[in-house]
Amino acid sequence: AQTVTQSQPEMSVQEAETVTLSCTYDTSESDYYLFWYKQPPSRQMILVIRQEAYKQQNATENRFSVNFQKAAKSFSLKISDSQLGDAAMYFCAYATSGTYKYIFGTGTRLKVLA
Amino acid sequence: DTEVTQTPKHLVMGMTNKKSLKCEQHMGHRAMYWYKQKAKKPPELMFVYSYEKLSINESVPSRFSPECPNSSLLNLHLHALQPEDSALYLCASRNTGTGTPGELFFGEGSRLTVL
């Protein structure tokens, strides 16, 4: 069975600094998709960034970028120039085209310090 | 319109009550999901509907009964729940037109308390 692990329950970053959130996953599939979702307190979960496993190039979305290491089954999220609005729970997620199940990791709570 | 709307936002019910949660989207998405999320935990998949047919049931107890009356609407009927069923219930939808797992669009959730 596929599993997604986030080893950092909580992280803190100073405003304007850079922080990296870690995610590892376990799968025997070759074709899959990885996501980072953000869940602010009492607000809906939104997609931050998506990565297709067959693409070697790391995805980027403005201040958000990933470091995708397929052989190591690692998918970390880097947030540059952190802003107060980045404070939230971040979930790493995995899905395949076969089942379209989205499996979420345990989450990392990010605090941004002014 | 890129919204998934869930009602009610809050629900308190007794263990003998029957209630329903409702989810609606008008993005033309043909896949809809129910997740359960306990405090400080990740969302856990419950059900998936694809083209209005139940495609995934993650061994959810029968006291939870999903229904997809049309392509825009998803219900979760609740009956004889237990206090441990108290949680945030999240609905999500996905565009099936891409042929690959794309973005899940989430609603704000319905916070359920079972007394």
PDB file of all heavy atoms in Angstrom, chain A residues 33 35 37 39 44-45 47 50 91 95-97 99-102 104-106, chain B residues 33 35 37 41-43 45 56 58 94 99-104 106-108:
ATOM      1  N   TYR A  33       1.439  10.932  -9.129  1.00  0.00           N
ATOM      2  CA  TYR A  33       1.438  12.381  -9.048  1.00  0.00           C
ATOM      3  C   TYR A  33       1.554  12.780  -7.583  1.00  0.00           C
ATOM      4  O   TYR A  33       0.986  12.130  -6.707  1.00  0.00           O
ATOM      5  CB  TYR A  33       0.141  12.938  -9.655  1.00  0.00           C
ATOM      6  CG  TYR A  33       0.006  12.576 -11.116  1.00  0.00           C
ATOM      7  CD1 TYR A  33      -0.371  11.299 -11.492  1.00  0.00           C
ATOM      8  CD2 TYR A  33       0.296  13.507 -12.106  1.00  0.00           C
ATOM      9  CE1 TYR A  33      -0.461  10.941 -12.827  1.00  0.00           C
ATOM     10  CE2 TYR A  33       0.198  13.167 -13.442  1.00  0.00           C
ATOM     11  CZ  TYR A  33      -0.172  11.885 -13.797  1.00  0.00           C
ATOM     12  OH  TYR A  33      -0.259  11.532 -15.121  1.00  0.00           O
ATOM     13  N   PHE A  35       1.537  16.077  -4.686  1.00  0.00           N
ATOM     14  CA  PHE A  35       0.927  17.380  -4.450  1.00  0.00           C
ATOM     15  C   PHE A  35       1.365  17.910  -3.090  1.00  0.00           C
ATOM     16  O   PHE A  35       1.643  17.150  -2.162  1.00  0.00           O
ATOM     17  CB  PHE A  35      -0.605  17.263  -4.430  1.00  0.00           C
ATOM     18  CG  PHE A  35      -1.211  16.562  -5.613  1.00  0.00           C
ATOM     19  CD1 PHE A  35      -1.231  15.176  -5.679  1.00  0.00           C
ATOM     20  CD2 PHE A  35      -1.768  17.295  -6.642  1.00  0.00           C
ATOM     21  CE1 PHE A  35      -1.789  14.523  -6.768  1.00  0.00           C
ATOM     22  CE2 PHE A  35      -2.338  16.646  -7.739  1.00  0.00           C
ATOM     23  CZ  PHE A  35      -2.344  15.262  -7.797  1.00  0.00           C
ATOM     24  N   TYR A  37      -0.598  20.495  -0.472  1.00  0.00           N
ATOM     25  CA  TYR A  37      -1.806  21.247  -0.176  1.00  0.00           C
ATOM     26  C   TYR A  37      -1.575  22.069   1.081  1.00  0.00           C
ATOM     27  O   TYR A  37      -0.872  21.662   1.993  1.00  0.00           O
ATOM     28  CB  TYR A  37      -2.994  20.311   0.048  1.00  0.00           C
ATOM     29  CG  TYR A  37      -3.641  19.829  -1.231  1.00  0.00           C
ATOM     30  CD1 TYR A  37      -3.190  18.687  -1.864  1.00  0.00           C
ATOM     31  CD2 TYR A  37      -4.697  20.534  -1.800  1.00  0.00           C
ATOM     32  CE1 TYR A  37      -3.770  18.247  -3.041  1.00  0.00           C
ATOM     33  CE2 TYR A  37      -5.285  20.107  -2.980  1.00  0.00           C
ATOM     34  CZ  TYR A  37      -4.813  18.962  -3.597  1.00  0.00           C
ATOM     35  OH  TYR A  37      -5.389  18.535  -4.765  1.00  0.00           O
ATOM     36  N   GLN A  39      -3.609  24.068   4.206  1.00  0.00           N
ATOM     37  CA  GLN A  39      -4.876  24.209   4.921  1.00  0.00           C
ATOM     38  C   GLN A  39      -4.726  25.265   6.007  1.00  0.00           C
ATOM     39  O   GLN A  39      -4.258  24.974   7.108  1.00  0.00           O
ATOM     40  CB  GLN A  39      -5.318  22.870   5.516  1.00  0.00           C
ATOM     41  CG  GLN A  39      -6.725  22.900   6.100  1.00  0.00           C
ATOM     42  CD  GLN A  39      -7.177  21.542   6.613  1.00  0.00           C
ATOM     43  OE1 GLN A  39      -6.392  20.784   7.170  1.00  0.00           O
ATOM     44  NE2 GLN A  39      -8.447  21.210   6.416  1.00  0.00           N
ATOM     45  N   GLN A  44     -10.470  26.524   3.827  1.00  0.00           N
ATOM     46  CA  GLN A  44     -10.447  25.340   2.977  1.00  0.00           C
ATOM     47  C   GLN A  44      -9.049  25.013   2.485  1.00  0.00           C
ATOM     48  O   GLN A  44      -8.183  25.880   2.389  1.00  0.00           O
ATOM     49  CB  GLN A  44     -11.405  25.505   1.803  1.00  0.00           C
ATOM     50  CG  GLN A  44     -10.963  26.512   0.768  1.00  0.00           C
ATOM     51  CD  GLN A  44     -12.107  26.875  -0.146  1.00  0.00           C
ATOM     52  OE1 GLN A  44     -12.661  27.958  -0.039  1.00  0.00           O
ATOM     53  NE2 GLN A  44     -12.459  25.986  -1.047  1.00  0.00           N
ATOM     54  N   MET A  45      -8.861  23.747   2.183  1.00  0.00           N
ATOM     55  CA  MET A  45      -7.601  23.259   1.687  1.00  0.00           C
ATOM     56  C   MET A  45      -7.429  23.677   0.231  1.00  0.00           C
ATOM     57  O   MET A  45      -8.357  23.544  -0.572  1.00  0.00           O
ATOM     58  CB  MET A  45      -7.561  21.732   1.808  1.00  0.00           C
ATOM     59  CG  MET A  45      -6.188  21.167   1.624  1.00  0.00           C
ATOM     60  SD  MET A  45      -5.996  19.461   2.077  1.00  0.00           S
ATOM     61  CE  MET A  45      -6.875  19.293   3.544  1.00  0.00           C
ATOM     62  N   LEU A  47      -4.638  23.773  -3.277  1.00  0.00           N
ATOM     63  CA  LEU A  47      -3.441  23.210  -3.898  1.00  0.00           C
ATOM     64  C   LEU A  47      -2.344  24.260  -3.944  1.00  0.00           C
ATOM     65  O   LEU A  47      -2.583  25.402  -4.343  1.00  0.00           O
ATOM     66  CB  LEU A  47      -3.770  22.728  -5.304  1.00  0.00           C
ATOM     67  CG  LEU A  47      -2.593  22.156  -6.095  1.00  0.00           C
ATOM     68  CD1 LEU A  47      -2.135  20.836  -5.494  1.00  0.00           C
ATOM     69  CD2 LEU A  47      -2.971  21.975  -7.555  1.00  0.00           C
ATOM     70  N   ARG A  50       1.896  20.898  -7.824  1.00  0.00           N
ATOM     71  CA  ARG A  50       1.687  19.520  -8.302  1.00  0.00           C
ATOM     72  C   ARG A  50       2.891  19.096  -9.129  1.00  0.00           C
ATOM     73  O   ARG A  50       3.445  19.905  -9.879  1.00  0.00           O
ATOM     74  CB  ARG A  50       0.416  19.481  -9.138  1.00  0.00           C
ATOM     75  CG  ARG A  50       0.123  18.171  -9.868  1.00  0.00           C
ATOM     76  CD  ARG A  50      -1.193  18.313 -10.630  1.00  0.00           C
ATOM     77  NE  ARG A  50      -1.567  17.126 -11.387  1.00  0.00           N
ATOM     78  CZ  ARG A  50      -1.383  16.979 -12.695  1.00  0.00           C
ATOM     79  NH1 ARG A  50      -0.775  17.926 -13.382  1.00  0.00           N
ATOM     80  NH2 ARG A  50      -1.788  15.881 -13.311  1.00  0.00           N
ATOM     81  N   PHE A  91       0.043  19.699   3.752  1.00  0.00           N
ATOM     82  CA  PHE A  91      -0.064  18.259   3.545  1.00  0.00           C
ATOM     83  C   PHE A  91       0.558  17.882   2.206  1.00  0.00           C
ATOM     84  O   PHE A  91       0.255  18.489   1.174  1.00  0.00           O
ATOM     85  CB  PHE A  91      -1.532  17.813   3.547  1.00  0.00           C
ATOM     86  CG  PHE A  91      -2.211  17.918   4.874  1.00  0.00           C
ATOM     87  CD1 PHE A  91      -3.056  18.978   5.161  1.00  0.00           C
ATOM     88  CD2 PHE A  91      -2.028  16.942   5.841  1.00  0.00           C
ATOM     89  CE1 PHE A  91      -3.704  19.074   6.388  1.00  0.00           C
ATOM     90  CE2 PHE A  91      -2.664  17.019   7.072  1.00  0.00           C
ATOM     91  CZ  PHE A  91      -3.495  18.098   7.338  1.00  0.00           C
ATOM     92  N   ALA A  95      -1.179  10.484  -5.581  1.00  0.00           N
ATOM     93  CA  ALA A  95      -2.302   9.880  -6.299  1.00  0.00           C
ATOM     94  C   ALA A  95      -1.781   9.184  -7.555  1.00  0.00           C
ATOM     95  O   ALA A  95      -0.748   9.561  -8.102  1.00  0.00           O
ATOM     96  CB  ALA A  95      -3.335  10.938  -6.672  1.00  0.00           C
ATOM     97  N   THR A  96      -2.524   8.183  -7.991  1.00  0.00           N
ATOM     98  CA  THR A  96      -2.194   7.504  -9.247  1.00  0.00           C
ATOM     99  C   THR A  96      -3.378   7.594 -10.198  1.00  0.00           C
ATOM    100  O   THR A  96      -4.514   7.817  -9.776  1.00  0.00           O
ATOM    101  CB  THR A  96      -1.871   6.015  -9.044  1.00  0.00           C
ATOM    102  OG1 THR A  96      -3.055   5.347  -8.591  1.00  0.00           O
ATOM    103  CG2 THR A  96      -0.752   5.826  -8.050  1.00  0.00           C
ATOM    104  N   SER A  97      -3.094   7.397 -11.478  1.00  0.00           N
ATOM    105  CA  SER A  97      -4.151   7.411 -12.480  1.00  0.00           C
ATOM    106  C   SER A  97      -5.037   6.177 -12.383  1.00  0.00           C
ATOM    107  O   SER A  97      -6.135   6.160 -12.897  1.00  0.00           O
ATOM    108  CB  SER A  97      -3.554   7.472 -13.889  1.00  0.00           C
ATOM    109  OG  SER A  97      -2.910   8.688 -14.093  1.00  0.00           O
ATOM    110  N   THR A  99      -6.340   4.487  -9.567  1.00  0.00           N
ATOM    111  CA  THR A  99      -7.442   4.529  -8.602  1.00  0.00           C
ATOM    112  C   THR A  99      -7.972   5.939  -8.377  1.00  0.00           C
ATOM    113  O   THR A  99      -9.092   6.097  -7.910  1.00  0.00           O
ATOM    114  CB  THR A  99      -6.998   3.977  -7.236  1.00  0.00           C
ATOM    115  OG1 THR A  99      -5.975   4.831  -6.713  1.00  0.00           O
ATOM    116  CG2 THR A  99      -6.459   2.555  -7.372  1.00  0.00           C
ATOM    117  N   TYR A 100      -7.159   6.939  -8.665  1.00  0.00           N
ATOM    118  CA  TYR A 100      -7.523   8.323  -8.356  1.00  0.00           C
ATOM    119  C   TYR A 100      -7.809   8.516  -6.870  1.00  0.00           C
ATOM    120  O   TYR A 100      -8.574   9.394  -6.496  1.00  0.00           O
ATOM    121  CB  TYR A 100      -8.708   8.793  -9.202  1.00  0.00           C
ATOM    122  CG  TYR A 100      -8.358   8.930 -10.667  1.00  0.00           C
ATOM    123  CD1 TYR A 100      -8.592   7.897 -11.552  1.00  0.00           C
ATOM    124  CD2 TYR A 100      -7.751  10.100 -11.138  1.00  0.00           C
ATOM    125  CE1 TYR A 100      -8.242   8.016 -12.897  1.00  0.00           C
ATOM    126  CE2 TYR A 100      -7.407  10.224 -12.479  1.00  0.00           C
ATOM    127  CZ  TYR A 100      -7.657   9.183 -13.349  1.00  0.00           C
ATOM    128  OH  TYR A 100      -7.315   9.300 -14.667  1.00  0.00           O
ATOM    129  N   LYS A 101      -7.211   7.662  -6.045  1.00  0.00           N
ATOM    130  CA  LYS A 101      -7.250   7.920  -4.607  1.00  0.00           C
ATOM    131  C   LYS A 101      -6.167   8.942  -4.290  1.00  0.00           C
ATOM    132  O   LYS A 101      -5.045   8.827  -4.776  1.00  0.00           O
ATOM    133  CB  LYS A 101      -6.893   6.649  -3.823  1.00  0.00           C
ATOM    134  CG  LYS A 101      -7.952   5.611  -3.737  1.00  0.00           C
ATOM    135  CD  LYS A 101      -7.463   4.531  -2.767  1.00  0.00           C
ATOM    136  CE  LYS A 101      -8.389   3.355  -2.730  1.00  0.00           C
ATOM    137  NZ  LYS A 101      -7.945   2.341  -1.752  1.00  0.00           N
ATOM    138  N   TYR A 102      -6.473   9.910  -3.463  1.00  0.00           N
ATOM    139  CA  TYR A 102      -5.490  10.881  -3.008  1.00  0.00           C
ATOM    140  C   TYR A 102      -5.184  10.558  -1.551  1.00  0.00           C
ATOM    141  O   TYR A 102      -6.065  10.623  -0.697  1.00  0.00           O
ATOM    142  CB  TYR A 102      -6.038  12.302  -3.137  1.00  0.00           C
ATOM    143  CG  TYR A 102      -6.181  12.779  -4.565  1.00  0.00           C
ATOM    144  CD1 TYR A 102      -7.097  12.183  -5.424  1.00  0.00           C
ATOM    145  CD2 TYR A 102      -5.401  13.816  -5.059  1.00  0.00           C
ATOM    146  CE1 TYR A 102      -7.243  12.618  -6.731  1.00  0.00           C
ATOM    147  CE2 TYR A 102      -5.535  14.262  -6.365  1.00  0.00           C
ATOM    148  CZ  TYR A 102      -6.453  13.654  -7.192  1.00  0.00           C
ATOM    149  OH  TYR A 102      -6.596  14.081  -8.488  1.00  0.00           O
ATOM    150  N   PHE A 104      -3.036  11.377   1.808  1.00  0.00           N
ATOM    151  CA  PHE A 104      -2.386  12.531   2.418  1.00  0.00           C
ATOM    152  C   PHE A 104      -1.389  12.103   3.496  1.00  0.00           C
ATOM    153  O   PHE A 104      -1.624  11.126   4.223  1.00  0.00           O
ATOM    154  CB  PHE A 104      -3.433  13.462   3.035  1.00  0.00           C
ATOM    155  CG  PHE A 104      -4.233  14.211   2.011  1.00  0.00           C
ATOM    156  CD1 PHE A 104      -5.306  13.611   1.374  1.00  0.00           C
ATOM    157  CD2 PHE A 104      -3.903  15.508   1.665  1.00  0.00           C
ATOM    158  CE1 PHE A 104      -6.042  14.289   0.406  1.00  0.00           C
ATOM    159  CE2 PHE A 104      -4.627  16.202   0.707  1.00  0.00           C
ATOM    160  CZ  PHE A 104      -5.697  15.599   0.076  1.00  0.00           C
ATOM    161  N   GLY A 105      -0.308  12.856   3.606  1.00  0.00           N
ATOM    162  CA  GLY A 105       0.634  12.670   4.695  1.00  0.00           C
ATOM    163  C   GLY A 105       0.088  13.255   5.987  1.00  0.00           C
ATOM    164  O   GLY A 105      -0.998  13.825   6.018  1.00  0.00           O
ATOM    165  N   THR A 106       0.864  13.123   7.055  1.00  0.00           N
ATOM    166  CA  THR A 106       0.414  13.505   8.384  1.00  0.00           C
ATOM    167  C   THR A 106       0.405  15.002   8.614  1.00  0.00           C
ATOM    168  O   THR A 106      -0.175  15.467   9.578  1.00  0.00           O
ATOM    169  CB  THR A 106       1.305  12.850   9.444  1.00  0.00           C
ATOM    170  OG1 THR A 106       2.674  13.028   9.074  1.00  0.00           O
ATOM    171  CG2 THR A 106       1.003  11.354   9.555  1.00  0.00           C
TER     172      THR A 106
ATOM    173  N   TYR B  33     -15.585  13.541  -3.908  1.00  0.00           N
ATOM    174  CA  TYR B  33     -14.962  12.797  -2.817  1.00  0.00           C
ATOM    175  C   TYR B  33     -15.518  13.245  -1.468  1.00  0.00           C
ATOM    176  O   TYR B  33     -15.801  14.426  -1.270  1.00  0.00           O
ATOM    177  CB  TYR B  33     -13.455  13.080  -2.785  1.00  0.00           C
ATOM    178  CG  TYR B  33     -12.655  12.611  -3.978  1.00  0.00           C
ATOM    179  CD1 TYR B  33     -12.824  13.171  -5.243  1.00  0.00           C
ATOM    180  CD2 TYR B  33     -11.689  11.613  -3.828  1.00  0.00           C
ATOM    181  CE1 TYR B  33     -12.069  12.733  -6.325  1.00  0.00           C
ATOM    182  CE2 TYR B  33     -10.926  11.179  -4.907  1.00  0.00           C
ATOM    183  CZ  TYR B  33     -11.122  11.745  -6.152  1.00  0.00           C
ATOM    184  OH  TYR B  33     -10.366  11.313  -7.223  1.00  0.00           O
ATOM    185  N   TYR B  35     -14.086  13.104   2.460  1.00  0.00           N
ATOM    186  CA  TYR B  35     -12.990  12.828   3.377  1.00  0.00           C
ATOM    187  C   TYR B  35     -13.456  13.140   4.802  1.00  0.00           C
ATOM    188  O   TYR B  35     -14.258  14.046   5.019  1.00  0.00           O
ATOM    189  CB  TYR B  35     -11.779  13.709   3.079  1.00  0.00           C
ATOM    190  CG  TYR B  35     -10.913  13.251   1.933  1.00  0.00           C
ATOM    191  CD1 TYR B  35     -11.185  13.649   0.631  1.00  0.00           C
ATOM    192  CD2 TYR B  35      -9.806  12.432   2.148  1.00  0.00           C
ATOM    193  CE1 TYR B  35     -10.375  13.240  -0.423  1.00  0.00           C
ATOM    194  CE2 TYR B  35      -8.994  12.020   1.104  1.00  0.00           C
ATOM    195  CZ  TYR B  35      -9.291  12.435  -0.175  1.00  0.00           C
ATOM    196  OH  TYR B  35      -8.491  12.023  -1.223  1.00  0.00           O
ATOM    197  N   GLN B  37     -11.800  14.280   8.505  1.00  0.00           N
ATOM    198  CA  GLN B  37     -10.576  14.811   9.086  1.00  0.00           C
ATOM    199  C   GLN B  37     -10.768  15.068  10.575  1.00  0.00           C
ATOM    200  O   GLN B  37     -11.558  15.935  10.968  1.00  0.00           O
ATOM    201  CB  GLN B  37     -10.133  16.093   8.374  1.00  0.00           C
ATOM    202  CG  GLN B  37      -8.771  16.599   8.842  1.00  0.00           C
ATOM    203  CD  GLN B  37      -8.306  17.835   8.112  1.00  0.00           C
ATOM    204  OE1 GLN B  37      -9.103  18.618   7.615  1.00  0.00           O
ATOM    205  NE2 GLN B  37      -6.992  18.025   8.044  1.00  0.00           N
ATOM    206  N   LYS B  41      -5.045  15.928  12.229  1.00  0.00           N
ATOM    207  CA  LYS B  41      -4.779  14.708  11.457  1.00  0.00           C
ATOM    208  C   LYS B  41      -4.992  14.988   9.976  1.00  0.00           C
ATOM    209  O   LYS B  41      -5.639  15.977   9.614  1.00  0.00           O
ATOM    210  CB  LYS B  41      -5.723  13.583  11.910  1.00  0.00           C
ATOM    211  CG  LYS B  41      -5.541  13.158  13.350  1.00  0.00           C
ATOM    212  CD  LYS B  41      -4.235  12.434  13.550  1.00  0.00           C
ATOM    213  CE  LYS B  41      -4.130  11.881  14.964  1.00  0.00           C
ATOM    214  NZ  LYS B  41      -2.824  11.217  15.188  1.00  0.00           N
ATOM    215  N   PRO B  42      -4.466  14.114   9.109  1.00  0.00           N
ATOM    216  CA  PRO B  42      -4.717  14.320   7.675  1.00  0.00           C
ATOM    217  C   PRO B  42      -6.114  13.873   7.296  1.00  0.00           C
ATOM    218  O   PRO B  42      -6.741  13.076   8.020  1.00  0.00           O
ATOM    219  CB  PRO B  42      -3.669  13.408   7.018  1.00  0.00           C
ATOM    220  CG  PRO B  42      -3.414  12.343   8.026  1.00  0.00           C
ATOM    221  CD  PRO B  42      -3.559  12.999   9.374  1.00  0.00           C
ATOM    222  N   PRO B  43      -6.614  14.342   6.173  1.00  0.00           N
ATOM    223  CA  PRO B  43      -7.902  13.845   5.677  1.00  0.00           C
ATOM    224  C   PRO B  43      -7.799  12.353   5.361  1.00  0.00           C
ATOM    225  O   PRO B  43      -6.808  11.897   4.786  1.00  0.00           O
ATOM    226  CB  PRO B  43      -8.133  14.659   4.403  1.00  0.00           C
ATOM    227  CG  PRO B  43      -7.243  15.850   4.530  1.00  0.00           C
ATOM    228  CD  PRO B  43      -6.061  15.391   5.302  1.00  0.00           C
ATOM    229  N   LEU B  45      -9.704   9.304   3.331  1.00  0.00           N
ATOM    230  CA  LEU B  45     -10.677   9.079   2.275  1.00  0.00           C
ATOM    231  C   LEU B  45     -11.798   8.172   2.758  1.00  0.00           C
ATOM    232  O   LEU B  45     -11.553   7.142   3.406  1.00  0.00           O
ATOM    233  CB  LEU B  45      -9.992   8.456   1.064  1.00  0.00           C
ATOM    234  CG  LEU B  45     -10.866   8.207  -0.149  1.00  0.00           C
ATOM    235  CD1 LEU B  45     -11.445   9.516  -0.692  1.00  0.00           C
ATOM    236  CD2 LEU B  45     -10.074   7.476  -1.236  1.00  0.00           C
ATOM    237  N   ILE B  56     -15.286   4.104  -5.082  1.00  0.00           N
ATOM    238  CA  ILE B  56     -14.433   3.713  -3.964  1.00  0.00           C
ATOM    239  C   ILE B  56     -15.211   3.883  -2.659  1.00  0.00           C
ATOM    240  O   ILE B  56     -15.833   4.920  -2.427  1.00  0.00           O
ATOM    241  CB  ILE B  56     -13.144   4.560  -3.900  1.00  0.00           C
ATOM    242  CG1 ILE B  56     -12.275   4.321  -5.133  1.00  0.00           C
ATOM    243  CG2 ILE B  56     -12.349   4.236  -2.621  1.00  0.00           C
ATOM    244  CD1 ILE B  56     -11.027   5.206  -5.196  1.00  0.00           C
ATOM    245  N   GLU B  58     -14.021   3.145   1.210  1.00  0.00           N
ATOM    246  CA  GLU B  58     -12.883   2.734   2.017  1.00  0.00           C
ATOM    247  C   GLU B  58     -13.329   2.022   3.297  1.00  0.00           C
ATOM    248  O   GLU B  58     -12.945   2.390   4.409  1.00  0.00           O
ATOM    249  CB  GLU B  58     -11.997   3.928   2.358  1.00  0.00           C
ATOM    250  CG  GLU B  58     -11.254   4.503   1.172  1.00  0.00           C
ATOM    251  CD  GLU B  58     -10.122   3.614   0.701  1.00  0.00           C
ATOM    252  OE1 GLU B  58      -9.007   3.728   1.231  1.00  0.00           O
ATOM    253  OE2 GLU B  58     -10.366   2.798  -0.212  1.00  0.00           O
ATOM    254  N   ARG B  94     -13.069  16.828  -8.612  1.00  0.00           N
ATOM    255  CA  ARG B  94     -11.919  16.735  -9.534  1.00  0.00           C
ATOM    256  C   ARG B  94     -12.405  16.732 -10.968  1.00  0.00           C
ATOM    257  O   ARG B  94     -13.409  16.087 -11.286  1.00  0.00           O
ATOM    258  CB  ARG B  94     -11.148  15.447  -9.247  1.00  0.00           C
ATOM    259  CG  ARG B  94      -9.977  15.186 -10.148  1.00  0.00           C
ATOM    260  CD  ARG B  94      -9.262  13.882  -9.735  1.00  0.00           C
ATOM    261  NE  ARG B  94     -10.116  12.717  -9.849  1.00  0.00           N
ATOM    262  CZ  ARG B  94     -10.347  12.042 -10.973  1.00  0.00           C
ATOM    263  NH1 ARG B  94      -9.794  12.449 -12.109  1.00  0.00           N
ATOM    264  NH2 ARG B  94     -11.118  10.963 -10.971  1.00  0.00           N
ATOM    265  N   GLY B  99      -7.719  13.224 -17.593  1.00  0.00           N
ATOM    266  CA  GLY B  99      -7.207  11.863 -17.682  1.00  0.00           C
ATOM    267  C   GLY B  99      -6.085  11.551 -16.710  1.00  0.00           C
ATOM    268  O   GLY B  99      -5.544  10.451 -16.718  1.00  0.00           O
ATOM    269  N   THR B 100      -5.732  12.501 -15.894  1.00  0.00           N
ATOM    270  CA  THR B 100      -4.686  12.283 -14.890  1.00  0.00           C
ATOM    271  C   THR B 100      -5.152  12.882 -13.565  1.00  0.00           C
ATOM    272  O   THR B 100      -6.054  13.723 -13.551  1.00  0.00           O
ATOM    273  CB  THR B 100      -3.356  12.961 -15.290  1.00  0.00           C
ATOM    274  OG1 THR B 100      -3.580  14.361 -15.416  1.00  0.00           O
ATOM    275  CG2 THR B 100      -2.831  12.406 -16.598  1.00  0.00           C
ATOM    276  N   PRO B 101      -4.553  12.471 -12.446  1.00  0.00           N
ATOM    277  CA  PRO B 101      -4.953  13.052 -11.164  1.00  0.00           C
ATOM    278  C   PRO B 101      -4.569  14.526 -11.087  1.00  0.00           C
ATOM    279  O   PRO B 101      -3.412  14.864 -10.899  1.00  0.00           O
ATOM    280  CB  PRO B 101      -4.180  12.219 -10.136  1.00  0.00           C
ATOM    281  CG  PRO B 101      -3.828  10.968 -10.833  1.00  0.00           C
ATOM    282  CD  PRO B 101      -3.624  11.347 -12.268  1.00  0.00           C
ATOM    283  N   GLY B 102      -5.550  15.381 -11.270  1.00  0.00           N
ATOM    284  CA  GLY B 102      -5.297  16.802 -11.181  1.00  0.00           C
ATOM    285  C   GLY B 102      -5.661  17.326  -9.810  1.00  0.00           C
ATOM    286  O   GLY B 102      -5.767  16.579  -8.843  1.00  0.00           O
ATOM    287  N   GLU B 103      -5.897  18.609  -9.755  1.00  0.00           N
ATOM    288  CA  GLU B 103      -6.194  19.265  -8.489  1.00  0.00           C
ATOM    289  C   GLU B 103      -7.520  18.787  -7.919  1.00  0.00           C
ATOM    290  O   GLU B 103      -8.515  18.659  -8.638  1.00  0.00           O
ATOM    291  CB  GLU B 103      -6.247  20.777  -8.710  1.00  0.00           C
ATOM    292  CG  GLU B 103      -6.562  21.580  -7.474  1.00  0.00           C
ATOM    293  CD  GLU B 103      -6.538  23.070  -7.761  1.00  0.00           C
ATOM    294  OE1 GLU B 103      -6.239  23.468  -8.898  1.00  0.00           O
ATOM    295  OE2 GLU B 103      -6.816  23.845  -6.816  1.00  0.00           O
ATOM    296  N   LEU B 104      -7.516  18.529  -6.631  1.00  0.00           N
ATOM    297  CA  LEU B 104      -8.759  18.335  -5.895  1.00  0.00           C
ATOM    298  C   LEU B 104      -9.186  19.699  -5.388  1.00  0.00           C
ATOM    299  O   LEU B 104      -8.394  20.406  -4.762  1.00  0.00           O
ATOM    300  CB  LEU B 104      -8.562  17.406  -4.695  1.00  0.00           C
ATOM    301  CG  LEU B 104      -8.567  15.897  -4.908  1.00  0.00           C
ATOM    302  CD1 LEU B 104      -8.448  15.186  -3.559  1.00  0.00           C
ATOM    303  CD2 LEU B 104      -9.795  15.430  -5.644  1.00  0.00           C
ATOM    304  N   PHE B 106     -11.456  21.561  -2.806  1.00  0.00           N
ATOM    305  CA  PHE B 106     -12.104  21.250  -1.538  1.00  0.00           C
ATOM    306  C   PHE B 106     -13.118  22.308  -1.134  1.00  0.00           C
ATOM    307  O   PHE B 106     -12.948  23.508  -1.417  1.00  0.00           O
ATOM    308  CB  PHE B 106     -11.065  21.157  -0.416  1.00  0.00           C
ATOM    309  CG  PHE B 106     -10.292  19.872  -0.412  1.00  0.00           C
ATOM    310  CD1 PHE B 106      -9.131  19.744  -1.161  1.00  0.00           C
ATOM    311  CD2 PHE B 106     -10.724  18.786   0.334  1.00  0.00           C
ATOM    312  CE1 PHE B 106      -8.406  18.560  -1.158  1.00  0.00           C
ATOM    313  CE2 PHE B 106     -10.004  17.596   0.347  1.00  0.00           C
ATOM    314  CZ  PHE B 106      -8.852  17.488  -0.411  1.00  0.00           C
ATOM    315  N   GLY B 107     -14.156  21.856  -0.441  1.00  0.00           N
ATOM    316  CA  GLY B 107     -15.039  22.765   0.257  1.00  0.00           C
ATOM    317  C   GLY B 107     -14.453  23.122   1.616  1.00  0.00           C
ATOM    318  O   GLY B 107     -13.402  22.602   2.008  1.00  0.00           O
ATOM    319  N   GLU B 108     -15.152  23.995   2.340  1.00  0.00           N
ATOM    320  CA  GLU B 108     -14.658  24.415   3.660  1.00  0.00           C
ATOM    321  C   GLU B 108     -14.933  23.373   4.736  1.00  0.00           C
ATOM    322  O   GLU B 108     -14.383  23.445   5.822  1.00  0.00           O
ATOM    323  CB  GLU B 108     -15.279  25.751   4.048  1.00  0.00           C
ATOM    324  CG  GLU B 108     -14.813  26.899   3.176  1.00  0.00           C
ATOM    325  CD  GLU B 108     -15.261  28.244   3.711  1.00  0.00           C
ATOM    326  OE1 GLU B 108     -15.764  28.315   4.843  1.00  0.00           O
ATOM    327  OE2 GLU B 108     -15.103  29.238   2.993  1.00  0.00           O
TER     328      GLU B 108
END
